[in-house]
Amino acid sequence: MERQNLDPQEIWQAAKGALQLQMTRANFDEWVKDARLLTAEENSFIVGVPNFYVRDWLQARLHPMIKRTLEGIVGHAVELRYTVQQKPHRTKELAPGPNMLWPDNGGSDKLPQGIVLNPRYTFERFIVGSGNRMAHAAALAIAERPGYTYNPLFLHGGVGLGKTHLLQAVGHEAMRRGYKILYVSSETFTNDLINAIRTQSTAAFRERYRTVDVLLIDDIQFIAGKETTQEEFFHTFNTLYAANKQICITSDRHPREMVSLQERLVSRFQGGILTDVRPPDYETRLAILRARAGDVQIPFPEEVLDFVARKVETNIRELEGAFNRLVAHARLDKAPLAVEVAAEILRDIAPVIPTVIDPAQLIRVVARHYSLSEDDLKGPSRSRQIVTARHIAMFLLREETSLSLPQIGQLLGGRDHTTVMHGYNKIKNALLQDSALQHQIMRIQQILQQRVPAME
Ligand code: ADP
Ligand code: MG
């Protein structure tokens, strides 16, 4: 969808709105809030930021997200650059924001201060479903009684499935109960350690990491191959463990699958509870979308949420990304999104799941494809050609819509569900060998998804 008629400043504001939803408050305030659109010509945007530090950070860390967000709004590829626009009256401390990975800052002696958890990553806002039920239960048990139930908790699973969210939820809950917590990524741990060694402040480093009640280490896989870090982490682990302090770890893989991880760490990681998070099922995805729609206080038609939940299947981060694009549009349009519009906005998201297909339309398309009438398909004729077309309609109705077998039978002239099942199986089996049939079915599917015009 082209949106060239929009005022570039409005586009940028919408992009900032969408970014705000994708980032922690602290990060947004630190990096994006003060960024201003300087010029926009054709598809090229130039954004002004207060200093070189922010510019480099945006370029190095946030560029893909910002670009993607902008493109989601304008509906086509854009070029995006950042430039420093000095504002001498507003001096800002050039320190990284809280809760960020500590960047290579070449020279700073300080350890990162003020660990701030993402305020959204709480148990209350975590939707429990089939893929994460175990992980959630274990995390909750630990947050309520750190150090006593399972130690360590080792949570693993693919990207965007809620590991960081759960880990931080443990942090929020334990903190609420008065425990001292520390949340870091394993990269931060490594960088802190390197800085401590360089500045001869390992005592302070140990003080920091070994005096907490709950140590939360995110993305431990990054310590693979780093011998010094593993050594230090092993001792940190043992000290905490011996003192009944809780250790929680996330990883993108099972400890056994981590190459170049010392065997003694592998066995420590398996000594408590080990659980995985798996991709969300449809119900979980829909529940997450409903919750997010409630957060942003924009009314989304149920069918739009259903559409997104069906389309984005693999991970929750992408689900949220897709949803945020719709939010940005809804804010601009100031009207509830139609499902067709949502489909258009999200059309570049793979895999392309067929848009909701109207069963009546499907029957029409099949009839026309075989030069028959709809009544032929619905009627009693047993002619070979008509029977085959009818079976194809049954097959496609079952594959392409969510209708039940009896409902399909009803639509095709009141046939019963065993007849529909029989027709469906006939086509399914025939498809295994009959390439002409494969071709026809594919063609009809394409017409249904409106990727090619119907043949007259
Ligand atoms: P991971 O660390 O596994 O890559 P994250 O914890 O960063 O994934 O989750 C990605 C996004 O999805 C976050 O915004 C998070 O809040 C959200 N999310 C993940 N799982 C859930 C859930 N079960 N309920 C609500 N939001 C979730
Ligand atoms: Mg994570």
Side-chain angles (χ1 to χ4, degrees), residues 80-261:
L80 173 63
R81 285 190 295 124
Y82 312 94
T83 180
V84 178
Q85 202 201 19
Q86 307 275 5
K87 278 203 283 172
H89 57 282
R90 260 188 90 223
T91 44
K92 206 170 181 203
E93 210 197 317
L94 302 190
N99 196 21
M100 301 292 291
L101 301 181
W102 192 244
D104 274 336
N105 52 358
S108 167
D109 298 342
K110 283 186 297 176
L111 293 178
Q113 309 286 331
I115 301 305
V116 176
L117 300 173
N118 186 330
R120 290 203 303 117
Y121 291 177
T122 60
F123 282 116
E124 290 78 51
R125 304 178 68 115
F126 189 82
I127 308 284
V128 181
S130 57
N132 59 32
R133 199 177 303 285
M134 277 286 295
H136 172 263
L140 195 57
I142 275 163
E144 288 173 348
R145 239 178 140 229
Y148 281 88
T149 28
Y150 318 103
N151 209 8
L153 166 69
F154 192 99
L155 206 63
H156 63 101
V159 68
L161 298 182
K163 299 183 299 296
T164 296
H165 189 138
L166 266 183
L167 193 67
Q168 293 202 6
V170 171
H172 280 293
E173 182 58 27
M175 211 156 53
R176 203 177 63 78
R177 291 169 181 261
Y179 294 100
K180 184 174 171 196
I181 69 137
L182 179 57
Y183 165 88
V184 287
S185 77
S186 74
E187 286 170 305
T188 302
F189 183 89
T190 304
N191 289 328
D192 281 3
L193 178 64
I194 293 167
N195 281 330
I197 292 169
R198 200 186 48 219
T199 61
Q200 297 176 350
S201 55
T202 46
F205 173 89
R206 288 183 185 148
E207 168 78 14
R208 175 173 154 78
Y209 280 95
R210 298 185 188 183
T211 58
V212 295
D213 300 313
V214 183
L215 179 61
L216 307 158
I217 302 272
D218 210 354
D219 290 321
I220 195 76
Q221 70 271 8
F222 295 122
I223 72 169
K226 296 177 182 148
E227 287 303 317
T228 314
T229 305
Q230 292 189 27
E231 179 74 25
E232 183 64 31
F233 188 68
F234 182 71
H235 294 296
T236 305
F237 187 105
N238 289 344
T239 305
L240 290 171
Y241 187 86
N244 275 333
K245 303 302 186 190
Q246 182 70 47
I247 302 137
C248 303
I249 300 167
T250 70
S251 169
D252 69 353
R253 67 203 73 170
H254 190 283
R256 286 260 158 252
E257 292 164 11
M258 289 173 67
V259 284
S260 341
L261 181 67

Side-chain angles (χ1 to χ4, degrees), residues 259-319:
V259 284
S260 341
L261 181 67
Q262 295 171 4
E263 188 54 36
R264 55 187 184 165
L265 279 175
V266 173
S267 79
R268 285 289 183 289
F269 290 169
Q270 297 186 100
I273 187 165
L274 195 94
T275 175
D276 67 347
V277 285
R278 272 165 283 125
D281 58 17
Y282 168 79
E283 283 75 21
T284 313
R285 300 196 299 272
L286 190 60
I288 289 171
L289 290 171
R290 284 198 183 121
R292 304 289 280 133
D295 291 344
V296 296
Q297 298 188 346
I298 294 177
F300 279 97
E302 190 62 20
E303 50 176 359
V304 169
L305 299 183
D306 169 82
F307 172 80
V308 182
R310 284 182 196 285
K311 187 169 173 89
V312 186
E313 293 181 294
T314 46
N315 99 43
I316 298 167
R317 182 165 307 142
E318 274 175 28
L319 187 70

